[in-house]
C-alpha cells in the first residue's frame, strides 16, 4: 500500500508540473561558428529551446509569437533577426563583424537559427559576446563551439558572464 501511495504521489507531481507549463529545467542555448576557409565566411548556427525563445520574443516585442506557424513566418523572421543580432556579437581579429541573418527552422523542441559573415579572409582571434536568453533566465548557460579546419574550441558561458575568446 505504501508503494502505491508513493507511485500516485509521483504521478500527481508529474501532472502538476506539466500543467504548470514546466517543460524543462535546463536553460541552455548552443552557438556553433564554423570558419569556411574556401568561401572566406563564418557560418553560424544557434540552437534554442523553442518554448523559451517564443517566451522572450513575446515579452520583448509585445506581439504574438508562433515560430512554427507558416502564416507568421515573415513576422517571425523579423523579430528572430532583431533578437539574435542584438544578443550575439562577434569580433574577428579585433574587428566587429556584421551578422547576416539567413533564417530559422524548428527541429522538434528546438529552434535553429542560421547567420553568416562574409569576407573573413583569415581567422586568428575571435571574441563572442553571447547574451541569448539572459533577459529571461538567471541560470542561462550558453555553449559555444568555434571550428576552424580540424581545430575545435568549445566553452560554456554561465550567466552573468557573456564573453569567450579564442586564438588560432
Amino acid at each position: 500500500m505504501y508503494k502505491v501511495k508513493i507511485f500516485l504521489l509521483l504521478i500527481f507531481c508529474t501532472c502538476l508540473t506539466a500543467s504548470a507549463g514546466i517543460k524543462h529545467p535546463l536553460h541552455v542555448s548552443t552557438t556553433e561558428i564554423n570558419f569556411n576557409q574556401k568561401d572566406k565566411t563564418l557560418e553560424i548556427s544557434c540552437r534554442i529551446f523553442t518554448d523559451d525563445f517564443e517566451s522572450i520574443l513575446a515579452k520583448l516585442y509585445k506581439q504574438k509569437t508562433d515560430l512554427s506557424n507558416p502564416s507568421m513566418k515573415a513576422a517571425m523572421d523579423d523579430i528572430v533577426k532583431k533578437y539574435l543580432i542584438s544578443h550575439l556579437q562577434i569580433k574577428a581579429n579585433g574587428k566587429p563583424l556584421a551578422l547576416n541573418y539567413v533564417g530559422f527552422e524548428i527541429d522538434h523542441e528546438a529552434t535553429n537559427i542560421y547567420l553568416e559573415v562574409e569576407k573573413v579572409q583569415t581567422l586568428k582571434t575571435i571574441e563572442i559576446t553571447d547574451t541569448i536568453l539572459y533577459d529571461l533566465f538567471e541560470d542561462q548557460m550558453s555553449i559555444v563551439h568555434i571550428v576552424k579546419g580540424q581545430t575545435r574550441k568549445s566553452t560554456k558561458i554561465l550567466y552573468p558572464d557573456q564573453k569567450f575568446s579564442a586564438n588560432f
Side-chain angles (χ1 to χ4, degrees):
M1 184 68 171
Y2 178 74
K3 289 181 181 180
V4 172
K5 286 183 180 179
I6 295 294
F7 178 72
L8 291 174
L9 181 62
L10 287 173
I11 290 176
F12 174 74
C13 290
T14 302
C15 292
L16 184 63
T17 58
S19 67
I22 299 170
K23 303 207 190 248
H24 53 88
L26 188 62
H27 301 122
V28 64
S29 68
T30 305
T31 300
E32 184 164 318
I33 302 166
N34 288 294
F35 178 58
N36 184 325
Q37 179 72 40
K38 180 183 171 216
D39 295 337
K40 306 289 188 209
T41 60
L42 291 179
E43 299 163 348
I44 305 155
S45 62
C46 299
R47 187 170 177 89
I48 306 168
F49 282 112
T50 301
D51 58 333
D52 295 340
F53 197 37
E54 287 180 335
S55 293
I56 195 58
L57 294 175
K59 178 182 172 184
L60 289 178
Y61 302 112
K62 312 269 190 266
Q63 68 183 68
K64 182 181 186 305
T65 58
D66 186 349
L67 296 170
S68 61
N69 185 341
S71 68
M72 296 179 68
K73 179 77 169 137
M76 295 299 97
D77 269 327
D78 288 343
I79 63 173
V80 168
K81 175 184 177 181
K82 186 186 292 187
Y83 184 84
L84 257 290
I85 299 297
S86 65
H87 287 80
L88 182 67
Q89 290 84 40
I90 301 173
K91 289 182 182 178
N93 308 318
K95 296 179 183 171
L97 302 176
L99 303 178
N100 299 316
Y101 175 75
V102 175
F104 76 89
E105 64 182 355
I106 303 295
D107 181 19
H108 301 289
E109 294 180 356
T111 301
N112 295 323
I113 303 108
Y114 305 101
L115 305 141
E116 183 178 59
V117 177
E118 298 175 333
K119 300 179 183 171
V120 179
Q121 297 302 314
T122 185
L123 186 63
K124 294 179 182 175
T125 64
I126 189 164
E127 180 181 296
I128 290 85
T129 303
D130 185 340
T131 60
I132 295 170
L133 297 182
Y134 275 30
D135 32 15
L136 191 61
F137 301 114
E138 290 186 359
D139 62 346
Q140 180 65 29
M141 175 177 31
S142 300
I143 298 173
V144 178
H145 305 287
I146 303 165
V147 181
K148 179 184 176 188
Q150 299 299 314
T151 304
R152 179 183 187 96
K153 299 194 177 194
S154 299
T155 194
K156 65 181 176 183
I157 305 171
L158 300 174
Y159 180 91
D161 296 333
Q162 301 176 3
K163 295 183 188 270
F164 171 63
S165 59
N167 298 313
F168 293 95

